[in-house]
Amino acid sequence: MPGRDTEIRVRELMNQAVEKGRTAGILLSVRQNGREVLYSQAGWADLERKIPIKRDTIFRLYSMTKPVTAAAAMILMEQGRLDLGENVEEYLPGFGATCTEDGMGRKNTEPVTVGQLLQMTSGLGYGSEESAADRKVLKYLESCMTGMETGAPISTREFAEGLGKLPLLFTPGSSWHYGFSADVLGAVIEAASGMSFGKFLEDNIFIPLGMKDTGFWVPEEKQNRLAVSYEAGKDGRLRPYRENHLMISNGMKNPPSFESGGAGLVSTAEDYARFAQMLLNRGILDGCRILKPETAKFFTGGGLTSSQQRSFEMWRGLEGYTYSHLMRIMAWPEKATLIGYRGEYGWDGWLGCYFANIPVRNMTILVMQQKKAAGTSPLIRKLRNVILSDLPET
């Protein structure tokens, strides 16, 4: 349990980050042995209107959506309705992606499996200018964004099947690349469950866990609690960031046609802490079982092959980790750039939301903020190190 000096140092770090304009507002919650042992908040949910950040502030999770999507897949797997070794085409007949080693159209016969979506080894990217295949994904994303903004939005399944008509970045399973795998998985969950992705999450995770402020949009009566997102201007000062990104509406005002399994959810610190605690408890919270113990163990374990790991390790900042089931998993603490423990797992989001579960300490570290391209930032590493260096030896 962190001591008083740790609380003071955490508060100082967070206040300094706000004062120096590194973030508009930030919230941290540390839970251990099923109860909150440290809480701190600093700054603003709305800097211009001077609305402070607080426990019930609603945040855009972006990629911290991914572990929730993976948990949904685990539920269907243990029910016998989803086979991770099956080809995606069995669930989405319109998904027929073929790989191209060089992004130039050379096809092969290797299909994408559901398990490869969970490992980010499918060959699906997020789109960039790096290769011909990347550029096709980027062009497709831009066309979908245009449709969204002109009143012709694409659905979850339509988006996935559209991706399936584009070339992959590599032979499925041969490498690792961060991309739209979780979004395709959301469409697979729709097909396997026979209901919309959002409805499946609501019925099987959010309502049972009491996550009352988590979903793919923010109703009018809750809009005043939605934090403003920010970016640094050319002068280094924070300014509101109001653009849509990855087909996620910044305003979150209406139920979306595209329910993004990779980036679409909003939540509060209180809600996401309940999800994280359920995982720490091997699938149960307050007597409500979401995952069976063996499923939860499988979900929070695993890793990449040596060739996949080499690609993963090109992503700076994740030294010491491997990747499995849409989460980072600490495999080599001695290689890490922060204090960590073998078997810890979690993920973060593009606007700075972050969580880590540390089973050997029965602990969750949860950070919520809304700063463009924040991710696992130096501030996150500093906060972690201050907190974890103050724990007694095991």
Side-chain angles (χ1 to χ4, degrees):
M1 177 176 173
R4 179 62 178 163
D5 289 345
T6 295
E7 290 184 39
I8 293 171
R9 184 60 185 141
V10 162
R11 191 177 305 114
E12 287 175 348
L13 284 169
M14 292 169 63
N15 285 333
Q16 287 171 8
V18 172
E19 290 166 5
K20 294 180 179 180
R22 292 176 182 148
T23 189
I26 183 169
L27 178 157
L28 176 139
S29 174
V30 179
R31 298 180 61 84
Q32 190 172 29
N33 299 323
R35 66 187 186 91
E36 188 172 72
V37 295
L38 176 61
Y39 176 85
S40 189
Q41 64 187 47
W44 314 97
D46 187 327
L47 179 59
E48 289 69 36
R49 297 166 61 196
K50 291 295 183 281
I51 299 174
I53 204 165
K54 52 186 180 179
R55 286 183 181 272
D56 70 347
T57 299
I58 297 173
F59 300 86
R60 302 162 191 82
L61 293 179
Y62 272 90
S63 286
M64 231 162 73
T65 299
K66 290 178 171 70
V68 179
T69 299
M74 295 297 114
I75 292 170
L76 288 169
M77 182 192 75
E78 73 175 21
Q79 292 175 351
R81 300 161 74 186
L82 184 64
D83 176 10
L84 306 192
E86 188 60 270
N87 298 337
V88 172
E89 288 175 80
E90 292 299 315
Y91 300 94
L92 302 175
F95 188 92
T98 54
C99 100
T100 62
E101 291 289 347
D102 58 1
M104 298 302 292
R106 295 189 307 181
K107 297 183 178 181
N108 74 74
T109 58
E110 293 294 324
V112 176
T113 68
V114 176
Q116 288 162 349
L117 297 177
L118 279 156
Q119 300 298 91
M120 287 283 177
T121 59
S122 64
L124 291 163
Y126 264 136
S128 71
E129 297 292 343
E130 293 182 5
S131 70
D134 273 313
R135 287 191 288 275
K136 288 182 179 180
V137 173
L138 184 59
K139 185 176 180 180
Y140 176 62
L141 175 61
E142 289 171 349
S143 70
C144 292
M145 288 282 290
T146 299
M148 167 192 167
E149 292 163 2
T150 58
I154 198 167
S155 72
T156 307
R157 193 175 303 198
E158 287 170 342
F159 179 71
E161 293 187 339
L163 280 174
K165 295 177 173 61
L166 303 178
L168 299 171
L169 303 182
F170 50 77
T171 302
S174 66
S175 188
W176 183 94
H177 195 88
Y178 201 57
F180 281 117
S181 289
D183 297 283
V184 174
L185 183 59
V188 169
I189 289 167
E190 282 196 348
S193 67
M195 62 178 68
S196 75
F197 181 42
K199 180 64 172 170
F200 184 84
L201 294 182
E202 185 178 346
D203 288 356
N204 292 275
I205 298 178
F206 303 154
I207 291 175
L209 289 180
M211 297 171 67
K212 61 184 183 300
D213 292 319
T214 304
F216 285 110
W217 65 295
V218 180
E220 178 62 32
E221 65 272 17
K222 297 182 181 182
Q223 278 283 322
N224 64 329
R225 291 163 48 204
L226 178 63
V228 175
S229 49
Y230 289 89
E231 64 179 341
K234 291 183 179 179
D235 60 358
R237 295 189 172 206
L238 292 177
R239 63 186 184 189
Y241 175 81
R242 304 194 189 280
E243 297 178 25
N244 302 328
H245 182 62
L246 294 178
M247 292 201 299
I248 311 304
S249 169
N250 185 272
M252 309 297 291
K253 291 183 178 180
N254 299 297
S257 297
F258 170 59
E259 296 177 323
S260 169
L265 290 175
V266 297
S267 191
T268 62
E270 297 284 304
D271 275 12
Y272 209 92
R274 294 186 65 77
F275 173 75
Q277 187 68 56
M278 177 273 293
L279 296 181
L280 267 185
N281 294 350
R282 290 289 179 90
I284 192 170
L285 182 68
D286 296 339
C288 178
R289 181 159 294 284
I290 304 298
L291 296 170
K292 295 176 182 177
E294 284 302 311
T295 308
K297 180 181 178 181
F298 172 75
F299 176 32
T300 57
L304 300 171
T305 67
S306 57
S307 62
Q308 295 164 355
Q309 185 69 27
R310 284 193 293 271
S311 298
F312 178 73
E313 288 174 354
M314 294 175 67
W315 198 343
R316 185 180 173 188
L318 289 172
E319 294 84 356
Y321 291 97
T322 187
Y323 190 88
S324 182
H325 303 142
L326 303 180
M327 295 188 290
R328 63 177 179 272
I329 298 176
M330 180 71 80
W332 306 280
E334 66 278 8
K335 296 182 180 180
T337 58
L338 43 68
I339 297 173
Y341 298 84
R342 196 177 310 277
E344 73 161 77
Y345 58 87
W347 200 238
D348 54 70
W350 182 67
L351 289 178
C353 294
Y354 172 97
F355 99 100
N357 270 357
I358 306 173
V360 297
R361 292 292 193 172
N362 200 16
M363 174 180 281
T364 297
I365 299 175
L366 178 65
V367 177
M368 305 295 260
Q369 57 180 330
Q370 298 283 261
K371 166 75 182 306
K372 182 179 174 182
T376 304
S377 64
L379 175 59
I380 297 291
R381 291 192 290 271
K382 289 175 183 178
L383 290 169
R384 275 186 54 122
N385 288 338
V386 168
I387 293 162
L388 295 178
S389 64
D390 193 31
L391 298 179
E393 290 187 32
T394 53

